[in-house]
Amino acid sequence: MNEEPSNPRHGTLTSSTFALLSTMIGGGTLSLPLAFAQGGTFGGVLILLFVASSAYGSIMNLIDCSIVTTAPGSVSENLTRGSGSYEGVVSTAPLFKNRNLSQFVRYFCMGCLVLICWSGIIGYCVLLRDLAGKPLSDWITEDGEEDMSSESSSASVSIDETEEGPSLLQNIIMLSIVVVVTPLTMLRTLTALEKVAMFGVTNVAFLGICIIYKSMECNFSDDFASVRNESFSSFLSDQLWPSSWKEFFTAFPIFCGPFMCHFNVLPVHNELCDASRDRIRYVIRFATTFATFFYIAVGVSGSLYGNCVESGQVEGNILLNFDDDDKLMTFGKACLTTTIALALPIMVIPCRDIIMRMLSTDCDSTLSQLSSPKNEGYERQRKSSFKEPLLNNAFLEDETVDTLSESSLETVESGQEDQPAERSKPITRTLLTLAIFWGGAFLACIVDNVDVVWELTGSNLVMAIGFLLPCISFLSHHFNIESGVKLVFKKTW
């Protein structure tokens, strides 16, 4: 009778798909209407399709590199949870074969991923305060003012008008939501968040429907004839293409951000049952395809709502263009608030695991053991195992195995050092989770605008982590001068 592995895989196609969708679809959706307004309706669609295909290619690059740099035993059994990590894939690329350079690249990737995840936590907390804190605080303030005299009421109003930044009540409301979400951040895997991710994606879909409806009402309803700047056909013809190259380059980074899910791709792959290349490719294709069509629908319809805006162009946050007393958009804002709150654990868990791998003392010792003379026989045995049809049949095509470089095999078991999150004590994991989550929440209390947070990471960092480094690692792992450049670019895209 077969014994169940101590650390089994529990991920399904559904849980894996919604984990990636919940990572991609979130607050970044609000900026897409402005990106389509700047890049043009038709031009924006072309840019988004290009970015989507590039994101899919870079994600598959990570998967392929993770397969060839994972210990053969874990790949062949495919029962125990995998150990692949973003920094492990990139740092073991033959391009970085120098040990000092490999270590530098490893910790550089870890630092960038932590910055992206933690800034995402802070940004989402700021959005929670803006979406839920402001309306609720205004409602509470209005109820309190009803019991005051007219003189004291007018004085309080004048004080409120001179306040700058978030109020104490708004931050308390945001922190209350953080308290409710905190238990979810204590979970160890993304698979356990399957139902949470499904509910979050459903809610953001409702928001998209609300934006599409308001745009159609704006451009086609007779009730909005006096509000429209011009006819729909005239407005659309002026919005097909970007008005200048500056507008194009300004919009391009906005299209890249919503596809940033690379820090959760390998954790999802590690947890997926029967994690063949075809199964994970199905997950990635479905997630990127759904996100692409959702972004096109929301982005195009949201940009066309600019016809009912006095300036002729929507704001960087599309929700700012709607009145506070709009009941339909109030429902949409509530849906987005739920989505962002439920997406916080999906940002906290990978950030925690990356920091635990970074702080692990096993990294240097594991590398030393792998490079020691007593392991030379095992190294030869591990190298020869890649010449057998094991990986060929289960995961990779013949071309991929043939182009696998010898230098990448020397660090094939480096993924074993990416397991400190599993070996750590519960108290350590709990304290680190609280420090990450609540540290970000308290820092969000003093941030006035979410744009400050997004500028912290910057578009260059996102494009480097999401698109550049995965492709460089793939080319470095798989390039073979005898096979030619044609094979490499075929596999990359």
Side-chain angles (χ1 to χ4, degrees):
M1 183 175 61
N2 296 330
E3 296 183 359
E4 183 178 356
S6 58
N7 192 20
R9 297 171 180 258
H10 295 294
T12 63
L13 292 177
T14 303
S15 65
S16 302
T17 302
F18 278 98
L20 292 183
L21 280 175
S22 185
T23 306
M24 285 190 284
I25 301 179
T29 307
L30 303 178
S31 301
L32 284 175
L34 175 62
F36 274 89
Q38 293 175 336
T41 302
F42 190 70
V45 171
L46 294 180
I47 297 173
L48 189 67
L49 292 176
F50 171 77
V51 173
S53 62
S54 301
Y56 170 78
S58 65
I59 292 173
M60 288 307 302
N61 291 163
L62 284 176
I63 296 298
D64 286 341
C65 292
S66 176
I67 290 172
V68 299
T69 57
T70 303
S74 62
V75 175
S76 61
E77 294 172 4
N78 203 17
L79 297 175
T80 304
R81 190 178 304 160
S83 59
S85 65
Y86 183 99
E87 68 278 1
V89 166
V90 176
S91 63
T92 57
L95 180 64
F96 310 117
K97 60 183 178 180
N98 180 275
R99 178 173 178 176
N100 293 331
L101 179 59
S102 177
Q103 285 291 84
F104 171 78
V105 171
R106 180 181 183 85
Y107 286 106
F108 172 78
C109 291
M110 283 181 165
C112 292
L113 291 173
V114 169
L115 178 61
I116 291 174
C117 293
W118 201 51
S119 62
I121 295 170
I122 299 172
Y124 277 10
C125 289
V126 174
L127 286 175
L128 281 178
R129 185 191 64 210
D130 295 341
L131 291 170
K134 289 183 179 180
L136 289 177
S137 64
D138 292 342
W139 178 70
I140 294 174
T141 303
E142 289 177 359
D143 288 348
E145 288 178 351
E146 291 179 356
D147 300 331
M148 298 179 181
S149 62
S150 58
E151 182 178 355
S152 61
S153 177
S154 60
S156 65
V157 171
S158 62
I159 294 175
D160 289 340
E161 290 176 350
T162 59
E163 284 187 354
E164 294 183 359
S167 65
L168 177 62
L169 182 57
Q170 293 172 4
N171 286 326
I172 291 176
I173 294 173
M174 180 268 290
L175 293 176
S176 300
I177 299 176
V178 170
V179 171
V180 175
V181 178
T182 296
L184 295 177
T185 64
M186 301 297 170
L187 298 174
R188 298 181 64 176
T189 64
L190 297 175
T191 302
L193 294 170
E194 176 181 0
K195 299 296 188 295
V196 173
M198 293 176 62
F199 189 66
V201 173
T202 303
N203 276 272
V204 78
F206 283 137
L207 171 65
I209 294 174
C210 293
I211 294 176
I212 294 172
Y213 176 82
K214 294 298 293 184
S215 179
M216 295 179 62
E217 184 183 45
C218 157
N219 288 284
F220 300 107
S221 176
D222 294 335
D223 297 336
F224 283 78
S226 59
V227 180
R228 285 192 289 267
N229 297 323
E230 54 185 319
S231 64
F232 174 74
S233 58
S234 300
F235 183 79
L236 180 61
S237 61
D238 296 335
Q239 294 284 328
L240 288 179
W241 300 100
S243 58
S244 64
W245 283 107
K246 180 181 178 180
E247 294 287 324
F248 170 82
F249 288 111
T250 301
F252 187 81
I254 303 178
F255 287 106
C256 298
F259 287 99
M260 183 61 191
C261 64
H262 297 66
F263 53 86
N264 273 340
V265 168
L266 293 180
V268 166
H269 183 236
N270 293 337
E271 299 172 17
L272 179 62
C273 295
D274 187 18
S276 65
R277 190 175 188 273
D278 289 336
R279 280 172 64 83
I280 190 64
R281 181 169 55 183
Y282 171 82
V283 170
I284 296 170
R285 278 183 177 176
F286 185 89
T288 53
T289 301
F290 179 88
T292 299
F293 282 104
F294 176 78
Y295 291 153
I296 290 176
V298 174
V300 171
S301 59
S303 65
L304 294 178
Y305 187 79
N307 195 21
C308 293
V309 177
E310 184 177 355
S311 62
Q313 189 176 86
V314 294
E315 298 285 345
N317 181 352
I318 182 64
L319 298 180
L320 298 177
N321 294 109
F322 301 103
D323 297 332
D324 294 336
D325 57 353
D326 191 319
K327 295 182 179 180
L328 180 63
M329 291 313 301
T330 300
F331 170 75
K333 292 177 182 178
C335 292
L336 181 62
T337 302
T338 304
T339 298
I340 292 176
L342 297 180
L344 282 169
I346 297 180
M347 304 294 289
V348 174
I349 292 176
C351 185
R352 176 196 65 201
D353 293 343
I354 293 169
I355 294 178
M356 296 185 75
R357 293 197 298 266
M358 185 185 299
L359 299 178
S360 174
T361 57
D362 296 335
C363 295
D364 293 336
S365 60
T366 303
L367 288 175
S368 300
Q369 292 174 3
L370 289 174
S371 59
S372 62
K374 66 181 181 180
N375 285 325
E376 290 180 357
Y378 182 66
E379 289 291 327
R380 289 193 297 269
Q381 178 184 358
R382 191 168 65 242
K383 291 180 182 180
S384 63
S385 67
F386 275 82
K387 299 179 182 178
E388 300 175 0
L390 173 63
L391 289 178
N392 183 16
N393 295 334
F395 293 93
L396 301 175
E397 302 174 4
D398 295 339
E399 298 170 319
T400 306
V401 178
D402 292 338
T403 57
L404 180 64
S405 63
E406 289 295 324
S407 58
S408 65
L409 297 175
E410 296 178 358
T411 51
V412 69
E413 281 198 351
S414 62
Q416 291 181 352
E417 65 189 85
D418 299 325
Q419 296 283 11
E422 300 298 336
R423 299 193 302 266
S424 61
K425 295 181 180 180
I427 184 63
T428 304
R429 187 171 58 251
T430 300
L431 293 177
L432 183 58
T433 302
L434 291 175
I436 294 171
F437 191 29
W438 279 90
F442 283 125
L443 186 58
C445 293
I446 61 176
V447 177
D448 294 337
N449 196 303
V450 71
D451 293 336
V452 177
V453 182
W454 301 147
E455 291 174 358
L456 178 64
T457 55
S459 58
N460 293 332
L461 180 61
V462 170
M463 286 189 283
I465 293 295
F467 299 92
L468 183 60
L469 288 178
C471 292
I472 291 177
S473 300
F474 179 87
L475 295 176
S476 181
H477 276 296
H478 293 274
F479 184 80
N480 189 327
I481 192 64
E482 297 178 358
S483 301
V485 180
K486 181 179 180 181
L487 169 63
V488 174
F489 282 96
K490 175 184 176 183
K491 294 293 296 181
T492 302
W493 298 101

